[in-house]
């Protein structure tokens, strides 16, 4: 599902203008991104959490030059689904 599909589904279900729904979806995503960039996690009860995970410094390899490199510690955004979300997917989606 793409962002356009989400906008189309919301437009159909709520009967709102497509441009209004698109602006709302864009603003929501922008707010989540801004919050994470400022160091704050986003908690959506019953859906999940957008959190910041810290990766420790580690040693990697440059295969083409056969040398080791240090990868510095860094933060990455992550999504942790709520238990209700996980259970819904487990019970409603068929294993392939």
């Amino acid at each position: 599902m793409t962002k356009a599909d989400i906008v189309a589904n919301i437009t159909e279900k709520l009967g709102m203008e497509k441009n209004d729904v698109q602006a709302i979806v864009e603003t929501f995503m922008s707010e989540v991104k801004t919050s994470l960039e400022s160091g704050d996690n986003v908690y959506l009860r019953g859906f999940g959490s957008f959190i910041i995970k810290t990766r420790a410094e580690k040693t990697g390899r440059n295969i083409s030059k056969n040398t080791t490199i240090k990868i510095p510690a860094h933060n990455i955004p992550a999504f942790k689904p709520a238990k209700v979300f996980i259970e819904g997917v487990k019970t409603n989606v068929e294993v392939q």
Side-chain angles (χ1 to χ4, degrees):
M1 178 175 266
T2 64
K3 185 172 28 172
D5 295 335
I6 292 170
V7 169
N9 288 347
I10 294 172
T11 300
E12 184 179 312
K13 289 180 181 179
L14 298 180
M16 295 174 65
E17 291 291 324
K18 190 172 186 176
N19 290 338
D20 294 339
V21 173
Q22 186 166 357
I24 291 168
V25 170
E26 290 282 343
T27 304
F28 170 77
M29 293 188 318
S30 174
E31 286 299 315
V32 170
K33 182 180 172 190
T34 302
S35 179
L36 290 174
E37 286 174 348
S38 67
D40 297 327
N41 294 332
V42 178
Y43 303 101
L44 303 172
R45 191 169 308 242
F47 185 73
S49 303
F50 294 92
I51 58 175
I52 299 169
K53 286 189 174 182
T54 302
R55 298 282 189 221
E57 182 179 292
K58 64 182 179 180
T59 304
R61 293 199 55 71
N62 183 343
I63 297 172
S64 63
K65 294 182 181 179
N66 198 23
T67 59
T68 60
I69 56 173
K70 283 194 177 187
I71 301 169
H74 59 280
N75 293 324
I76 60 164
F79 177 73
K80 182 179 177 190
K83 288 180 184 178
V84 175
F85 190 166
I86 293 170
E87 288 303 318
V89 172
K90 278 184 182 178
T91 58
N92 296 323
V93 178
E94 198 173 305
V95 177
Q96 295 180 358

